[in-house]
Amino acid sequence: MADVSQAQGEEIPPNMTLYINNLNEKIKIDQLKKSLLAVFSQFGKILDVLAFKTLKHKGQAWVIFEDASSATNALRRMQGFPFYDKEMRIHYAKTKSDIIAKADGTFVPREKRKRHEEKGGKKRKEQLDPNQAAAGLNPAYAGAYGATPPLSQLPYLGARPIVPEAPAPPNNILFIQNLPHDATTMMLQMLFNQYPGLKDVRMVETKPGIAFVEYENEMQSTVAMQALQGFKIQQNQMLITYAKK
């Protein structure tokens, strides 16, 4: 893991590990790590996401990419991103992450962290491959959002995303498809809440991979749709259309 402290004005060379602070301390660690994985995986393969419950590490996390170019792109694109109502502050990590040091043969064990790594190593290993992150996670819950949409509007499970032959006219409700099955309401709220007018996010418990996002008016929903069309969550590219009413 990289050093916690990041000196002001210090020139840190680009590397594969990003240090992120100013994170919302009220978010549970597991949810925080899943959400960071969701928003950063669009920039490249992530080897690990580190965040800890200790007071010393609150409001901080480390995202470790497979290559420095992906980390650089993520830093530039996500700097100041509103993440759970707080703007992320992103820097290159001061020191090489252990996972990278082990890969290039420069790793030196630190005795005072040995016990912690033995306890936490198993959990971090589970996050090693972002493609495995979807396995064994709790399904998203459905929110209060009126009646369930007609079955004709829902894509067949396992099929490719379906675009209706006759698209619904512009309205204040968006229909989201091709979400990873472990996507949660909180993840979508975080993404869509950066655009004004968000009222509600509803995921359909019996149909993983889809959701409905409601805005106050049609103009606001259109802005969000244009901004987030094709946004990747864990390599799944979102498909956004207007919902049928």
Side-chain angles (χ1 to χ4, degrees):
M1 188 187 71
D3 287 345
V4 173
S5 60
Q6 298 282 334
Q8 291 294 329
E10 181 179 351
E11 282 295 326
I12 302 172
N15 61 78
M16 293 173 272
T17 303
L18 297 180
Y19 166 72
I20 306 166
N21 64 359
N22 198 42
L23 296 173
N24 193 324
E25 298 178 9
K26 296 179 181 179
I27 306 303
K28 292 183 178 179
I29 293 298
D30 289 344
Q31 182 65 43
L32 179 68
K33 291 172 69 173
K34 284 197 293 181
S35 297
L36 287 170
L37 180 64
V39 297
F40 278 97
S41 61
Q42 62 178 310
F43 301 106
K45 184 177 180 180
I46 293 176
L47 300 180
D48 208 351
V49 177
L50 303 178
F52 305 98
K53 296 179 181 179
T54 56
L55 183 63
K56 183 179 179 181
H57 297 96
K58 276 193 173 183
Q60 304 167 76
W62 291 260
V63 176
I64 308 167
F65 284 91
E66 188 175 46
D67 57 79
S69 60
S70 296
T72 298
N73 189 25
L75 185 150
R76 292 173 179 170
R77 296 275 300 276
M78 299 299 289
Q79 190 70 263
F81 183 84
F83 190 77
Y84 290 118
D85 300 322
K86 297 188 72 174
E87 291 187 1
M88 287 193 289
R89 297 173 187 162
I90 310 175
H91 315 270
Y92 293 112
K94 287 182 66 178
T95 58
K96 189 180 295 184
S97 301
D98 289 352
I99 193 170
I100 302 300
K102 288 175 181 177
D104 64 17
T106 61
F107 175 69
V108 178
R110 279 157 278 186
E111 288 299 320
K112 64 181 180 179
R113 284 185 48 215
K114 193 170 183 180
R115 287 186 179 178
H116 175 75
E117 288 184 352
E118 287 174 354
K119 291 180 180 179
K122 202 168 185 179
K123 290 184 179 179
R124 292 201 300 273
K125 190 173 181 182
E126 290 172 1
Q127 292 290 337
L128 189 58
D129 185 352
N131 294 322
Q132 297 174 353
L137 297 176
N138 292 331
Y141 59 89
Y145 192 65
T148 301
L151 290 177
S152 61
Q153 188 174 320
L154 305 179
Y156 175 73
L157 282 180
R160 297 173 63 186
I162 300 169
V163 179
E165 291 183 7
N171 62 80
N172 66 316
I173 301 175
L174 301 176
F175 178 43
I176 319 298
Q177 300 177 83
N178 200 36
L179 295 168
H181 285 192
D182 65 325
T184 65
T185 300
M186 291 182 71
M187 284 183 188
L188 293 182
Q189 285 175 339
M190 177 191 66
L191 287 174
F192 285 91
N193 198 41
Q194 59 185 310
Y195 304 101
L198 180 66
K199 288 183 65 178
D200 195 14
V201 173
R202 181 197 175 197
M203 304 194 75
V204 183
E205 188 175 8
T206 56
K207 300 286 184 180
I210 66 172
F212 294 87
V213 177
E214 181 180 5
Y215 281 86
E216 292 177 359
N217 58 54
E218 171 191 320
M219 290 182 63
Q220 292 170 333
S221 66
T222 300
V223 168
M225 178 172 69
Q226 291 175 347
L228 292 173
Q229 188 70 265
F231 186 92
K232 285 185 179 180
I233 300 182
Q234 297 177 13
Q235 304 306 313
N236 284 39
Q237 204 166 34
M238 285 197 299
L239 175 63
I240 308 175
T241 56
Y242 294 108
K244 289 182 177 179
K245 289 191 172 182

